[in-house]
Amino acid sequence: MSIDYKAEIERLKRELPVTVVGHYYQRDEVFEMADITGDSLELARKCKSDENPWVVFCGVGFMGQSVKVIAPEKRVLMPKIACCAMARMIDGSYFDDSVNYMVERGIPKENILPITYINSDASVKAKVGEMGGMVCTSSNAYKIIEKGLESGKKILFVPDRCLGQNFANSMGLKSCVIGAGECDPKEADVICFDGFCSVHQLFTLDDIEFYRNKFPGIKIAVHPECDPKIVDASDFAGSTSQLIKYVNDLDPEQKVAIGTEYNLVNRMRQGNTYVLSSTKPECPTMNETTLEDVYLTLKSIEDNRPINEIVVDPHTVKYANLALERMLAIK
Ligand code: 13P
Ligand code: SF4
């Protein structure tokens, strides 16, 4: 007999002290099962104040890890421990290499303030926390960089070069990317690690030109993980929740093409909303989680044999928590 996953998930949620969390990029059928939804900043805040001892997190690895770091007493399970491809581009040793790059070019370590995008492993967040730095998301990067600059130090921004450069540009700051051409940390305010999101690299100037030619007057709205030349050519750049608000606030007759992950754009799609790509910009790892996975994870709590539990060692929790809490303290 086949299992009605939806009905079983609903039953397990009623019977267990568990909160199901879903990022906007999850498949629709998974997203609909979530008690808490949002972008990465909203999810971090909401999970911190949620009371249930169990969290089933439908998203990518760094997100579940972040809940464990800010609320270590919680038991955090992930239906799929799917890893964000960008987060995998940097680890502790690459982070140390980036600090050394700056030190070798005349910036003393104590004059470096690291900021890591939340799309990074807890071990990288811990290194950042130990150096007095902070985490940011695409919703609050402007404020966090602004706060970081108050220290008078050089900002080392990891791992997303696009996010770092886009926010530096919007703030009138100089940026450079380690390993990409000339990058003299003495000449730049924001020194970026050379990581990127392959999904957000799919959007091209040709896509923008295509839509502008097809629908004169169309608005182009993109995520700041897109390349700076795409952000520059767009009408709006914002985080997931900022994009949703931007589109909702438009006149319903206004056409808009959106450059971010497919599941989110598809959910927003009405007559005048388009996907800014000729290919389907799906995040492969976000798409790994299925209803069956959610069911099996909840069932494992009921059966007292939890699966895919996120474990972070105490040293990492301590310092990664410092970096995350410094972010959460900034309103
Ligand atoms: P948000 O911070 O907008 O949720 O983005 C997370 C992400 O992974 C974007 O690709
Ligand atoms: Fe990571 Fe890109 Fe997927 Fe976001 S869309 S989770 S940055 S791989």
Side-chain angles (χ1 to χ4, degrees), residues 55-323:
V55 173
V56 168
F57 202 115
C58 308
V60 281
F62 74 83
M63 297 180 172
Q65 255 190 349
S66 295
V67 178
K68 188 69 190 168
V69 167
I70 49 182
E73 68 291 352
K74 284 189 192 289
R75 306 281 303 268
V76 183
L77 309 186
M78 297 198 68
K80 276 272 162 67
I81 304 192
C83 195
C84 161
M86 182 206 289
R88 289 187 80 139
M89 289 179 183
I90 188 167
D91 61 10
S93 71
Y94 279 119
F95 177 82
D96 291 342
D97 289 349
S98 305
V99 172
N100 289 338
Y101 179 93
M102 292 177 67
V103 171
E104 282 159 12
R105 283 157 184 79
I107 314 289
K109 191 170 175 186
E110 55 277 15
N111 288 356
I112 301 171
L113 186 88
I115 295 179
T116 181
Y117 190 26
I118 195 164
N119 296 38
S120 54
D121 190 74
S123 58
V124 173
K125 294 186 177 83
K127 294 234 171 213
V128 167
E130 276 187 271
M131 280 179 69
M134 295 174 275
V135 174
C136 76
T137 75
S138 50
S139 299
N140 63 14
Y142 193 104
K143 276 193 205 162
I144 300 285
I145 295 174
E146 204 171 43
K147 182 80 190 160
L149 289 169
E150 284 174 16
S151 66
K153 299 181 182 184
K154 296 276 183 187
I155 306 286
L156 169 61
F157 192 92
V158 304
D160 189 5
R161 63 161 187 250
C162 295
L163 207 80
Q165 286 180 292
N166 283 323
F167 280 96
N169 290 347
S170 70
M171 299 170 84
L173 300 170
K174 278 193 190 163
S175 64
C176 67
V177 180
I178 297 172
E182 219 14 70
C183 180
D184 180 356
K186 282 196 168 144
E187 294 299 317
D189 310 294
V190 181
I191 294 88
C192 304
F193 184 79
D194 195 11
F196 59 88
C197 165
S198 46
V199 180
H200 286 88
Q201 301 309 297
L202 291 173
F203 307 104
T204 63
L205 287 175
D206 284 348
D207 294 326
I208 296 181
E209 199 186 331
F210 169 83
Y211 274 107
R212 292 215 196 274
N213 286 338
K214 190 170 163 78
F215 302 119
I218 193 170
K219 299 281 188 202
I220 307 291
V222 300
H223 194 281
E225 286 177 11
C226 294
D227 192 90
K229 63 180 183 297
I230 304 302
V231 169
D232 288 349
S234 300
D235 298 289
F236 179 79
S239 71
T240 302
S241 51
Q242 290 160 355
L243 283 169
I244 295 172
K245 182 169 183 333
Y246 176 80
V247 173
N248 287 343
D249 288 350
L250 288 175
D251 183 305
E253 294 306 309
Q254 173 65 53
K255 291 190 188 303
V256 57
I258 307 169
T260 192
E261 208 276 338
Y262 180 79
N263 282 319
L264 169 71
V265 181
N266 196 38
R267 223 171 279 133
M268 290 198 266
R269 220 145 138 199
Q270 330 114 4
N272 287 319
T273 310
Y274 301 87
V275 182
L276 179 68
S277 182
S278 49
T279 55
K280 203 174 177 190
E282 269 177 331
C283 173
T285 45
M286 281 280 187
N287 269 271
E288 278 183 28
T289 305
T290 63
L291 266 191
E292 181 182 12
D293 297 327
V294 179
Y295 161 71
L296 290 173
T297 312
L298 287 165
K299 187 83 178 78
S300 79
I301 302 174
E302 181 179 54
D303 296 346
N304 222 2
R305 42 159 199 84
I307 55 169
N308 289 355
E309 181 158 9
I310 300 291
V311 180
V312 185
D313 70 82
H315 175 89
T316 305
V317 166
K318 179 175 170 190
Y319 288 102
N321 189 41
L322 276 179

